[in-house]
């Protein structure tokens, strides 16, 4: 019998980012977090107690839970495909943190498995589902900057060892600024400029080892396995081009550079790595005559992005499950972004342009007025 009412969610991976998910998923009325699992079952139990979640245990416990319809996979990147595959095989739809996986073969197998099982597969980031980003996307599609042509993005800082108690995984194969931060920037570019056709990139590494700085493992040295400063040029199927800096090797902290240049203006967007952005979404228009300093006329599209955070993609999937519709942050987009990032690695290794074999349809927007706090599916998951 088809299920109705609120959608039951089970979390696998009770680490750092689970806090942000739980804060929102326990407030959105259309979903109910019913179970949390982790290899570390004590961590899962502590998280369940903090957030008032009924059950906790291992990942298998979550996958065996009849009330769970969507498994939210918040494990580390190297475990993503295995956990997502097991969840699909258990008959659950899956939302996975980014990246979808760390190699093309297993990730494309995951996308095929979801399609053949009739289950939904959603891949982070959902920052681009925030109301500000969605408003900006609609404005660009409505011609706010004329024809979008090119983009400039930048994310640079000294690296996440300063904040993450398990920072070693962020410098391992399948992470680094490319796989850890790239999904935000490449996903946002695909949303605005369409599928990526080819890449060319350089990548360097400032240090061969780093140290964990915070938490119980502070002082522990670990290897840096991947490039930590990348300059990437992307060409888009529709003809646009973008340049992206992704770095964990610059003492200067500067993020939030995301600009798309069109024939009639440049739109300055918030950092797709965040929901808040911290600045309005504005469009710079060309000046009509030269006077120094050049002062572009500015038009504000969105004053301030309202504070909604991680979990929007899960909610969009939950409503799609009940309504039979499509959701926005699909496995196909997640795979295309992974394909792009692997192509970047190949470009660095071969010092050449690399074509991106996969493609995606134009990414839809969320329905206008999408309200995460609206109760549209009222029946409780558990009686
Ligand atoms: N930390 C952040 O700020 C942040 C931000 C956005 C996205 N993410 C993404 O979220 C994911 C998790 O990151 P994190 O920072 O929370 O990591 P974390 O190391 O803090 O937490 C990961 C958790 O997953 C558990 N785990 C690992 N493999 C497992 C498995 N096979 N089965 C069950 N549990 C397993 C670990 O025990 C741990 O509790 C990553 O994909 C990361 O890219 C993290």
């Amino acid at each position: 019998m088809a299920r109705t009412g609120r959608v039951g969610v089970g979390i696998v991976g009770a680490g750092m980012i689970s806090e942000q998910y739980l804060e929102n998923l326990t407030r959105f009325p259309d979903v109910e977090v019913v179970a949390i699992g982790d290899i570390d079952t004590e961590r899962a139990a502590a998280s369940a107690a903090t957030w008032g979640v009924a059950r906790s245990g291992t990942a298998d416990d979550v996958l065996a839970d009849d009330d769970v319809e969507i498994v939210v996979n918040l494990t580390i990147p190297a475990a993503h495909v295995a956990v997502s595959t097991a969840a699909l095989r258990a008959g659950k739809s899956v939302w996975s943190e980014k990246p979808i996986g760390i190699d093309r073969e297993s990730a494309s197998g995951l996308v095929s498995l979801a399609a053949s099982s009739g289950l939904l597969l959603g891949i982070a980031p959902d920052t681009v589902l925030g109301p500000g980003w969605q408003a900006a996307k609609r404005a660009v599609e409505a011609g706010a900057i004329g024809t979008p042509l090119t983009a400039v993005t930048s994310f640079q800082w000294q690296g996440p060892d300063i904040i993450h108690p398990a920072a070693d995984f962020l410098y391992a194969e399948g992470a680094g600024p490319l796989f850890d931060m790239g999904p935000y920037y490449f996903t946002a570019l695909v949303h605005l400029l369409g599928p990526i056709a080819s890449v060319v990139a350089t990548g360097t590494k400032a240090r061969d080892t780093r140290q964990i700085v915070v938490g119980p493992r502070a002082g522990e040295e670990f290897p840096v396995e991947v490039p930590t400063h990348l300059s990437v040029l992307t060409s888009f199927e529709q003809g646009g081009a973008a340049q992206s800096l992704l770095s964990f090797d610059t003492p200067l902290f500067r993020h939030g550079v995301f600009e798309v240049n069109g024939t009639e203006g440049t739109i300055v967007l918030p950092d797709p790595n965040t929901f808040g952005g911290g600045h309005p979404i504005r469009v710079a228009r060309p000046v009509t005559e030269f006077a120094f300093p050049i002062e572009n006329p500015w038009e504000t599209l969105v004053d301030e992005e309202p504070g909604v955070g991680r979990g929007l993609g899960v909610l969009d999937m939950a409503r799609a499950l009940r309504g039979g519709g499509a959701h926005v942050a699909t496995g196909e987009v997640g795979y295309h972004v992974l394909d792009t990032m692997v192509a970047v690695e190949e470009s660095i290794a071969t010092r050449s342009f690399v074509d991106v074999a996969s493609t995606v349809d134009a990414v839809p927007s969320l329905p206008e007025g999408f309200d995460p706090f609206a109760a549209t599916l009222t029946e409780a998951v558990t009686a």
Side-chain angles (χ1 to χ4, degrees):
M1 198 175 70
R3 295 199 196 209
T4 55
R6 303 170 76 183
V7 174
V9 168
I11 302 225
V12 176
M16 193 166 171
I17 204 59
S18 68
E19 298 284 311
Q20 288 184 29
Y21 274 92
L22 281 157
E23 187 181 340
N24 291 315
L25 294 177
T26 53
R27 290 189 300 152
F28 296 162
D30 281 351
V31 293
E32 186 177 330
V33 183
V34 295
I36 304 181
D38 199 294
I39 292 174
D40 182 341
T41 50
E42 280 179 25
R43 186 180 290 173
S47 174
T50 303
W51 294 101
V53 173
R55 296 181 283 285
S56 73
T58 63
D60 285 345
D61 292 331
V62 173
L63 268 44
D65 194 312
D66 283 342
D67 288 333
V68 171
E69 287 179 80
I70 300 177
V71 167
V72 175
N73 179 359
L74 307 181
T75 61
I76 57 171
H80 282 173
V81 168
V83 170
S84 297
T85 302
L88 289 172
R89 292 210 169 114
K92 316 293 186 190
S93 288
V94 172
W95 171 267
S96 170
E97 250 308 326
K98 48 74 190 171
I100 181 172
I102 60 176
D103 69 90
R104 288 189 182 112
E105 200 184 341
S106 68
S108 82
L110 181 69
V111 174
S112 306
L113 177 62
S116 62
S117 332
L119 296 162
L120 298 184
L121 173 65
I123 304 294
D126 55 3
T127 44
V128 284
L129 302 188
W133 257 91
Q134 287 290 303
K137 180 167 180 280
R138 283 194 197 96
V140 169
E141 285 164 1
I145 57 168
T147 305
L149 298 173
T150 57
V152 176
T153 81
S154 182
F155 174 91
Q156 60 175 96
W157 76 317
Q158 67 193 61
D161 21 347
I162 195 78
I163 51 162
H164 206 298
D168 45 345
F169 88 76
L170 293 165
Y171 292 86
E173 289 296 340
L178 176 60
F179 282 79
D180 186 44
M181 285 297 139
Y184 297 107
Y185 293 90
F186 296 125
T187 303
L189 286 169
V190 170
H191 274 232
L192 292 174
L193 294 175
I196 293 166
S198 70
V199 298
V200 63
T202 60
T204 56
K205 192 203 290 187
R207 282 175 274 163
D208 288 329
T209 60
R210 293 210 181 206
Q211 278 190 358
I212 297 206
V213 178
V214 293
R217 293 170 57 204
E220 201 179 297
E221 196 165 82
F222 61 84
V224 177
E225 295 175 3
V226 289
T228 37
H229 183 98
L230 297 98
S231 300
V232 183
L233 299 180
T234 27
S235 301
F236 294 82
E237 282 182 20
Q238 289 155 25
Q243 61 190 84
S244 297
L245 174 63
L246 295 160
S247 182
F248 289 171
D249 275 344
T250 75
L252 176 66
F253 175 64
R254 182 167 51 209
H255 71 149
V257 178
F258 200 109
E259 298 159 359
V260 181
N261 308 300
T263 48
E264 290 165 33
T266 295
I267 185 166
V268 179
L269 290 138
D271 188 342
N273 176 35
T274 68
F275 282 85
H279 61 75
I281 298 172
R282 301 195 300 163
V283 173
R285 301 283 174 210
V287 293
T288 46
E289 58 187 55
F290 180 78
F292 202 77
I294 292 177
E295 293 200 5
N296 292 97
W298 286 92
E299 194 183 309
T300 299
L301 292 185
V302 181
D303 249 340
E304 203 182 316
E305 196 165 2
V308 189
R310 288 191 165 83
L312 284 177
V314 177
L315 178 63
D316 184 31
M317 273 179 66
R319 289 180 177 165
L321 268 182
R322 287 290 179 269
H327 66 119
V328 173
T330 59
E332 284 77 9
V333 173
Y335 178 75
H336 181 60
V337 167
L338 173 72
D339 193 14
T340 298
M341 297 189 301
V342 176
V344 167
E345 280 188 320
E346 290 169 349
S347 170
I348 293 168
T350 58
R351 302 171 67 85
S352 60
F353 282 85
V354 175
D355 289 339
V356 177
S358 63
T359 187
V360 280
D361 295 334
V363 179
S365 303
L366 282 179
E368 214 156 338
F370 184 92
D371 177 2
F373 297 103
T376 69
L377 313 167
T378 45
E379 218 174 294
V381 173
T382 42

